[in-house]
Amino acid sequence: MTPNLLFSGESQIHAIVADPVAIGAGMLLAMAVLKILLLALAFRSGYIGGPLFPILFSATMLGLAINLIFPGAPVSICVLCIEASVLSLAMGAPLTAILLVAVVGTADITMVLLLTISSVTAMVLADVLRRRRGRAG
């Protein structure tokens, strides 16, 4: 598990995507959480790289884990919709996130619609949570 969490995850992700069953849903979820925690630690210690690849790595691990838990759901929908949602929140630019994921994931028109729905849903939920937190504090 540890070698897969090194660096941005850009090159390590290929082996994981090729056989996620060998890793298991629990380990994929643990890797998703650990990657974000390690990214936060890296930023605190002076990391000068960007967050996009580590975020994509974590989103992909989460999507693969969901696919293993619910095997009836297509893996492309699980992974790409979570990536679009997470990138929309991270960048604050849903259109850019949708286009990025659509191009990288070679999405068809149906998938682009699903990416749009997931990105908009993530942005709306984040806004609702932000407003609730503002009223509570």
Side-chain angles (χ1 to χ4, degrees):
M1 176 176 88
T2 305
N4 291 326
L5 295 175
L6 295 175
F7 311 111
S8 67
E10 179 180 1
S11 58
Q12 293 86 349
I13 202 167
H14 300 291
I16 298 168
V17 170
D19 190 19
V21 176
I23 295 174
M27 190 61 72
L28 289 169
L29 290 171
M31 288 169 59
V33 171
L34 280 172
K35 187 66 160 182
I36 295 300
L37 292 175
L38 290 171
L39 177 64
L41 179 65
F43 278 142
R44 295 293 267 164
S45 61
Y47 174 67
I48 57 173
L52 291 184
F53 280 116
I55 288 172
L56 280 174
F57 180 91
S58 288
T60 302
M61 296 305 107
L62 182 59
L64 291 172
I66 289 172
N67 178 257
L68 290 178
I69 295 168
F70 303 104
V75 69
S76 60
I77 292 175
C78 293
V79 171
L80 295 179
C81 287
I82 290 174
E83 285 179 355
S85 300
V86 170
L87 284 178
S88 293
L89 292 173
M91 296 188 309
L95 182 59
T96 304
I98 292 164
L99 291 174
L100 176 67
V101 173
V103 169
V104 171
T106 60
D108 61 359
I109 191 68
T110 305
M111 183 56 90
V112 171
L113 179 64
L114 292 172
L115 295 176
T116 303
I117 291 169
S118 64
S119 292
V120 169
T121 302
M123 296 298 286
V124 168
L125 288 175
D127 188 51
V128 167
L129 290 174
R130 211 173 290 121
R131 289 175 194 246
R132 279 192 181 171
R133 193 176 338 174
R135 278 188 246 162

